[in-house]
Amino acid sequence: MRSVMLHARRFGMQGHWRILAAKQPACCLRHRATVVAAAESGTAQAPPKPATGSIAAVQVLDEHTAPEKLQSISTLILDCDGVLWRGSEIIRNAPEALRVFRRDGKRLLFVTNNSSKSRVEYAAKFRSLGLEVSPDEIVSSSYCAAAYLKSVGFGANGSRTDKKVLLLGWTGVEQELRAADIPFIGGREFQLPAMDSMDAMKELQVDPDIGAVVVGWDPNFSYSRIVYASICLRELPGCVLVATNTDCADHIGGGRMMPGTGGLVRAVEVAAGTTAVNVAKGGEWLLPYLCRTYNLDPSRTAIIGDRMDTDILLGRQGGLFTCLPLTGVTTLERLQSLPPSERPNVVVGSVAKLAGLP
Amino acid sequence: MRSVMLHARRFGMQGHWRILAAKQPACCLRHRATVVAAAESGTAQAPPKPATGSIAAVQVLDEHTAPEKLQSISTLILDCDGVLWRGSEIIRNAPEALRVFRRDGKRLLFVTNNSSKSRVEYAAKFRSLGLEVSPDEIVSSSYCAAAYLKSVGFGANGSRTDKKVLLLGWTGVEQELRAADIPFIGGREFQLPAMDSMDAMKELQVDPDIGAVVVGWDPNFSYSRIVYASICLRELPGCVLVATNTDCADHIGGGRMMPGTGGLVRAVEVAAGTTAVNVAKGGEWLLPYLCRTYNLDPSRTAIIGDRMDTDILLGRQGGLFTCLPLTGVTTLERLQSLPPSERPNVVVGSVAKLAGLP
């Protein structure tokens, strides 16, 4: 905590606050203009005055002060990228932190918006980084897509068992749909003719049994896929649009960001004139599903995540205890620019601090 | 006018108004939910009562009553698809109407949001449908993209003459960029490696001289193109995003709609965390450009178009006289659901009626 107070004061004294705020990554925001507007606002311009001002400084808890905050917590929902690892690099002492949480009797759920991998593929990634996790503890958005479809009648024994899915996505969702016995077309190897003329689009015949379009991260995303999806959504009665997540972009190291699934979802939404159900953090379906499936008591559940618009939003939606580690996309400056009522309950240097580790 | 009053009354008497409103095409709306909400609103639910109610019926002028409305007008801005033709079918008496307008001394400008063709290609399409139009009278959004770029310094003798354009688009924009001497990469034949791994995206090197990304209708649109565009926009200083238009979808006959440019633009906006400049109808750049270039007097200029969110919006932005023919996407029911203050100045059965033709 001490180090942060010094940190904030230093910015104030040097008058650098505004520049730092304007340098915020725009990854999770719809428009860069929003960031500029925030930087231009009174809140961002005025240097924080921890001692006398009206805006309280963000307190960053350390390994001595953080663990007690989790005393009454029985379930931890952990985000992955930005919390346990960043790209392919493990966060310091993250494996040890998971061991401490388990030793203290806490149930762990790993909830990630990434749709590129299935639960089984994720478990392998956890193991490769030295993290001991079973597939049952992993709730990836690829899994959520299949779980959502089952909840609305797709798959064996469901009320829409005659319906199949059009997947604009990758192997993670493919595997989860197979595991859930939900028939689908599309996916990684979906070949379509070029849609470069009105005639091609007029003549396209879509599979009349499609009852849902799922959009996930899709490196083969194309105009032809948008055409096929929008025709299904506009012309097939009851066909619904499902987004594995709506994240805009992700850090991939070296200051570079890669396009997330959010833009692909928006392209299909606009073309089809409809709105997707977002089954990941940031949407409204996930938390009630988690509460139902894992019998969660919100008052004894904490979420640990690095994104305000997905992780902390999910926690705030459900009255969970919210913890933000500074190892991901959200900076201390960004948190400081928010009114205290919108900040996470706890800010820590890393997930390890919550376990009392350096 | 008589026929419409009867029309509206018939709906009212049969109580069918709400169903008709709910069947509105959602083409130009961001979300189908919006349409449902409109249909659920009090305005849409209550059957219009032309004789005694508070909502005046929409008056549809005929060939006897419409022409006098254009008496003081010296320039007509005409939309194309939905006004002069629909798909490949000419609207009845449209060629004759253009002849009448010219005989009456009116200047004609054909302003279309379609970016797939250049001015020269459009002139050929006009001729093939029996419409006499010169390329100089055509303002296609492909042409607007080049004009906008010139206005901000691209091309020979400009302040950004060292900069080139990344084009996600088709031959129409390619031809207009060449005609304006603006160097570009991309376009129809832009080959990129698959972007199916973080490593591929980390290693991608973009052309450092790119100063603008132009997104138009692009049948070769792909995730790889989104990656390339978003890296340019995020990493190259001053790189701007330009949309030829943001139309969501277009009718192509048989009740089918094709995805427009709007969804492609949104995909790039979300991935890059920025907002595009829309150079077509619906954006803010076009009308001042038209006024400047063609020395328009707004009080003596009319716009004739079938879309509320582009044509009529443009007219309302600039204080033009607005005319909507019922040969395009906007139905009488949709107009009736709007408050009178938001309706076009004149509604006609077709463009021919404005020229006194059946």
Side-chain angles (χ1 to χ4, degrees):
Chain A
M1 191 165 112
R2 205 177 333 134
S3 66
V4 180
M5 301 292 274
L6 285 170
H7 196 52
R9 206 171 296 138
R10 196 183 64 225
F11 292 150
M13 282 163 64
Q14 299 188 345
H16 281 173
W17 187 260
R18 187 157 166 256
I19 294 161
L20 285 157
K23 276 187 176 172
Q24 286 273 41
C27 56
C28 310
L29 291 159
R30 290 262 152 172
H31 305 305
R32 192 174 288 162
T34 318
V35 186
V36 177
E40 299 293 341
S41 78
T43 311
Q45 280 182 49
K49 295 169 186 165
T52 58
S54 59
I55 301 172
V58 173
Q59 298 193 345
V60 181
L61 302 191
D62 61 20
E63 61 266 39
H64 306 294
T65 50
E68 64 174 333
K69 299 289 184 183
L70 298 186
Q71 262 174 6
S72 65
I73 298 297
S74 60
T75 301
L76 292 177
I77 296 176
L78 292 117
D79 181 38
C80 301
D81 198 17
V83 174
L84 302 176
W85 61 73
R86 191 159 172 161
S88 55
E89 224 172 280
I90 189 81
I91 300 290
R92 184 185 177 203
N93 281 333
E96 293 74 11
L98 298 190
R99 270 179 229 124
V100 169
F101 295 144
R102 290 192 201 275
R103 184 200 65 198
D104 293 348
K106 300 194 194 302
R107 178 171 55 168
L108 306 183
L109 286 176
F110 301 88
V111 181
T112 171
N113 275 14
N114 192 314
S115 74
S116 65
K117 293 182 176 62
S118 65
R119 279 176 142 189
V120 171
E121 289 175 312
Y122 254 112
K125 168 153 188 170
F126 276 89
R127 274 195 303 277
S128 76
L129 290 168
L131 297 157
E132 293 148 21
V133 171
S134 94
D136 289 348
E137 294 174 312
I138 298 168
V139 185
S140 60
S141 69
S142 53
Y143 176 77
C144 292
Y148 171 78
L149 290 167
K150 279 177 79 170
S151 78
V152 295
F154 285 78
N157 307 319
S159 58
R160 307 193 75 191
T161 185
D162 55 324
K163 292 294 180 190
K164 63 181 81 157
V165 166
L166 168 68
L167 170 60
L168 309 191
W170 206 236
T171 55
V173 188
E174 284 183 357
Q175 290 183 18
E176 295 297 348
L177 290 175
R178 280 195 202 102
D181 254 334
I182 298 172
F184 68 92
I185 64 168
R188 184 169 172 167
E189 303 295 344
F190 190 41
Q191 297 297 332
L192 286 172
M195 290 292 146
D196 54 4
S197 71
M198 276 196 206
D199 285 342
M201 288 183 262
K202 275 184 191 169
E203 286 159 17
L204 182 65
Q205 297 198 331
V206 299
D207 186 326
D209 292 332
I210 289 170
V213 174
V214 174
V215 179
W217 180 69
D218 182 8
N220 289 338
F221 192 75
S222 66
Y223 185 74
S224 293
R225 290 186 173 211
I226 300 173
V227 172
Y228 199 109
S230 69
I231 290 174
C232 292
L233 290 161
R234 285 186 180 275
E235 300 183 12
L236 301 179
C239 188
V240 294
L241 178 59
V242 179
T244 61
N245 69 86
T246 59
D247 295 8
C248 302
D250 294 294
H251 289 283
I252 54 172
R256 179 155 285 185
M257 302 194 76
M258 60 172 266
T261 301
L264 315 185
V265 172
R266 289 296 288 138
V268 175
E269 284 183 331
V270 170
T274 192
T275 306
V277 175
N278 175 5
V279 298
K281 291 176 286 188
E284 289 172 11
W285 178 79
L286 181 60
L287 190 66
Y289 167 77
L290 290 176
C291 289
R292 211 165 53 233
T293 308
Y294 295 94
N295 201 21
L296 295 186
D297 172 358
S299 71
R300 301 194 62 206
T301 303
I303 182 157
I304 306 172
D306 68 319
R307 279 184 188 258
M308 290 301 297
D309 61 344
T310 54
D311 304 307
I312 305 306
L313 176 66
L314 182 93
R316 289 168 59 90
Q317 281 169 343
L320 312 186
F321 190 76
T322 54
C323 309
L324 188 135
L326 292 169
T327 44
V329 299
T330 306
T331 61
L332 190 58
E333 290 75 30
R334 166 78 180 137
L335 293 170
Q336 185 67 41
S337 74
L338 297 173
S341 64
E342 292 180 16
R343 295 175 190 164
N345 294 116
V346 163
V347 176
V348 288
S350 74
V351 67
K353 312 283 184 187
L354 280 166
L357 300 165
Chain B
M1 190 166 116
R2 203 178 336 134
S3 66
V4 180
M5 300 292 274
L6 285 169
H7 197 51
R9 206 171 296 140
R10 195 183 64 224
F11 292 150
M13 283 165 65
Q14 300 188 346
H16 280 173
W17 187 260
R18 188 158 167 257
I19 294 162
L20 285 157
K23 277 188 173 170
Q24 284 273 40
C27 55
C28 311
L29 292 160
R30 289 263 151 170
H31 304 307
R32 194 175 286 162
T34 318
V35 185
V36 177
E40 299 292 343
S41 77
T43 311
Q45 279 182 49
K49 296 171 186 163
T52 58
S54 58
I55 300 173
V58 173
Q59 299 194 345
V60 182
L61 301 192
D62 61 20
E63 62 266 38
H64 305 295
T65 50
E68 65 175 331
K69 300 289 184 183
L70 298 186
Q71 261 174 6
S72 65
I73 297 298
S74 60
T75 301
L76 291 177
I77 296 175
L78 292 116
D79 181 38
C80 301
D81 198 16
V83 175
L84 302 176
W85 61 74
R86 192 161 170 161
S88 55
E89 222 171 282
I90 189 83
I91 300 290
R92 183 185 177 205
N93 282 333
E96 293 75 12
L98 298 191
R99 269 178 231 126
V100 170
F101 295 144
R102 289 192 201 276
R103 184 201 66 199
D104 293 348
K106 300 195 194 304
R107 179 171 53 169
L108 306 184
L109 286 175
F110 301 89
V111 180
T112 172
N113 276 14
N114 192 311
S115 74
S116 65
K117 293 182 176 63
S118 65
R119 281 176 140 186
V120 171
E121 288 174 313
Y122 254 112
K125 168 154 187 171
F126 276 88
R127 275 195 302 275
S128 75
L129 291 167
L131 297 157
E132 292 148 21
V133 171
S134 93
D136 289 348
E137 294 174 312
I138 298 169
V139 185
S140 60
S141 68
S142 54
Y143 176 77
C144 291
Y148 171 77
L149 290 166
K150 278 178 78 170
S151 78
V152 294
F154 285 78
N157 306 320
S159 57
R160 307 192 75 193
T161 186
D162 55 325
K163 292 293 179 190
K164 63 180 80 157
V165 165
L166 168 69
L167 171 61
L168 309 191
W170 205 236
T171 55
V173 188
E174 284 183 357
Q175 289 182 19
E176 294 298 348
L177 291 175
R178 280 194 202 102
D181 254 335
I182 298 172
F184 67 94
I185 64 167
R188 183 169 174 169
E189 304 296 345
F190 190 41
Q191 298 297 331
L192 286 172
M195 290 292 144
D196 53 4
S197 71
M198 276 196 208
D199 285 342
M201 287 183 263
K202 275 184 190 168
E203 286 160 17
L204 182 65
Q205 296 197 332
V206 298
D207 186 327
D209 292 332
I210 289 169
V213 174
V214 174
V215 179
W217 180 69
D218 182 9
N220 290 338
F221 192 76
S222 66
Y223 185 74
S224 293
R225 289 186 175 211
I226 300 172
V227 172
Y228 199 108
S230 69
I231 290 175
C232 291
L233 290 162
R234 285 186 181 275
E235 300 182 12
L236 301 179
C239 187
V240 294
L241 177 59
V242 179
T244 61
N245 69 85
T246 59
D247 295 8
C248 301
D250 293 295
H251 289 283
I252 54 173
R256 178 155 286 184
M257 302 192 76
M258 59 172 267
T261 302
L264 315 185
V265 172
R266 289 296 288 139
V268 175
E269 284 183 331
V270 170
T274 192
T275 306
V277 175
N278 175 5
V279 298
K281 291 177 286 187
E284 289 173 9
W285 178 79
L286 181 60
L287 190 67
Y289 168 77
L290 290 177
C291 289
R292 212 165 52 232
T293 308
Y294 295 95
N295 201 21
L296 296 186
D297 172 358
S299 71
R300 300 194 63 204
T301 303
I303 182 157
I304 307 172
D306 68 320
R307 279 185 187 258
M308 291 300 296
D309 62 345
T310 54
D311 303 307
I312 305 305
L313 176 67
L314 182 93
R316 289 167 59 89
Q317 282 170 343
L320 312 186
F321 190 75
T322 55
C323 310
L324 187 136
L326 292 168
T327 43
V329 298
T330 306
T331 62
L332 191 57
E333 289 75 28
R334 167 78 180 135
L335 293 170
Q336 186 66 41
S337 75
L338 296 173
S341 63
E342 291 180 15
R343 297 176 189 164
N345 294 115
V346 164
V347 177
V348 287
S350 74
V351 67
K353 312 283 183 186
L354 280 167
L357 301 166

